[in-house]
Amino acid sequence: MEKINIYQERDFGDIFSASINFMKQNFHVIGRFMLYIILPTCLLLGIFTNGVYSEMGSTNPDPSGIILKYPPMILIFGIGSLLICGFVFTLIKFYIKSKDSIEGLQLKELWPAMIPVMGKCIITGIITIIAMTLLVLILVAFCAISSYTIIITLPAFFICLFPITLFFPIYILEENTDVWNAFGKAYRLGFSHFWVMIGVIIITFIAIALIQGICSIPYYIAFIIKTYFFNDGENVAIIGSGFYSFLVYILSVIACFGHFISSAIELFVIIYLYGSFAEKEDHVMVEQEIDSFDNLSDEKKSDDINNFDSI
């Protein structure tokens, strides 16, 4: 099976094609992770998510109930997001280092490598939040000076916001790049290919919004029906039954699962977007091939010396 290189110059459409082909090629590995790790996480997350929404939608919401259920919901959601981020980038690291496909890769082989990658995911997440907060504060400060400045500051805000998406793959995938160099490189690559980057991000955002909508809308409809009928006092026997409550819970699990799937798809697209930009600007693949050739030459020399000594 032909390997779909991360570091390869691609045009707009090829970035999406490469991302989709990668997911199709490694469907079994991705599917096992989603089924064995993410689905149980969603089963647990669905309990607290459904509990929080139920409290908020009741006629007499209990603030203590919301307070008790909301932090676990956020914590489990954060753990699920971290697992997705760690898995995707660890899988990509294995794929880059492999000579062929990684179709037979087992989850137990990924776990030891996922720990440091998830550590980097946490760091990139914190830095991204700080950077976005600073951008928002700058925007607010300029708007406070004069409302007319929003004509300039708002477009500038989005121009500075988009390249941050490249910060994750640069810092996590490039071994010898620290946080600040990765951040600077993200803006260098982003501004060099600005319109391609914006186009890919917008289309990806629309695609994942559709996926999340398809998975979430049934839950919201069922929840609204349950809230309306229950509060109205009619058809309580059906809407308030255990079967309907279980149905709403299952739909909340599907909604959570759809969110995590769309997050994984988004990361794969961003990684191939980064790989295309990095190859165009820095010729990463060429440098890797040179290093591999040098290592091969050193091994050949060592073998020749050993063979000579044996003679």
Side-chain angles (χ1 to χ4, degrees), residues 30-48:
I30 298 171
R32 284 196 297 269
F33 180 81
M34 291 294 179
L35 183 62
Y36 298 148
I37 306 300
I38 297 303
L39 183 56
T41 305
C42 292
L43 291 172
L44 186 59
L45 179 60
I47 295 173
F48 293 99

Side-chain angles (χ1 to χ4, degrees), residues 6 32 61 97 117 128 233 240:
I6 306 298
R32 284 196 297 269
K97 294 178 181 178
V117 171
T128 301

Side-chain angles (χ1 to χ4, degrees), residues 61-235:
D62 182 10
S64 62
I66 297 174
I67 292 171
L68 288 174
K69 294 173 183 176
Y70 194 76
M73 183 186 75
I74 297 299
L75 177 62
I76 297 169
F77 178 80
I79 292 172
S81 300
L82 183 60
L83 287 170
I84 285 288
C85 185
F87 168 74
V88 168
F89 282 106
T90 303
L91 188 69
I92 292 294
K93 278 176 169 284
F94 271 80
Y95 193 74
I96 291 173
K97 294 178 181 178
S98 67
K99 295 181 179 179
D100 300 309
S101 67
I102 52 174
E103 182 63 24
L105 187 66
Q106 300 296 318
L107 293 181
K108 62 182 180 181
E109 301 175 60
L110 288 173
W111 277 115
M114 277 182 62
I115 304 302
V117 171
M118 286 192 291
K120 281 194 167 186
C121 290
I122 293 173
I123 294 173
T124 50
I126 293 171
I127 297 296
T128 301
I129 291 172
I130 293 172
M132 292 178 66
T133 303
L134 289 174
L135 287 174
V136 170
L137 290 175
I138 293 172
L139 176 64
V140 171
F142 275 101
C143 290
I145 296 172
S146 173
S147 58
Y148 294 105
T149 59
I150 197 170
I151 300 173
I152 299 174
T153 55
L154 192 59
F157 171 77
F158 286 106
I159 289 172
C160 294
L161 188 64
F162 281 108
I164 296 178
T165 56
L166 299 175
F167 173 55
F168 274 78
I170 293 172
Y171 180 65
I172 296 172
L173 295 180
E174 297 186 8
E175 300 291 343
N176 298 319
T177 303
D178 58 27
V179 171
W180 304 115
N181 287 331
F183 205 77
K185 185 174 180 178
Y187 276 91
R188 177 170 62 84
L189 295 179
F191 286 144
S192 298
H193 308 276
F194 186 73
W195 295 112
V196 175
M197 177 187 64
I198 285 187
V200 170
I201 290 174
I202 290 175
I203 291 178
T204 304
F205 176 80
I206 294 171
I208 64 175
L210 287 173
I211 295 172
Q212 291 178 3
I214 292 171
C215 295
S216 300
I217 286 175
Y219 168 69
Y220 290 124
I221 292 174
F223 173 76
I224 290 170
I225 291 173
K226 179 182 178 182
T227 303
Y228 172 77
F229 276 96
F230 188 79
N231 290 342
D232 195 66
E234 301 176 359
N235 299 322

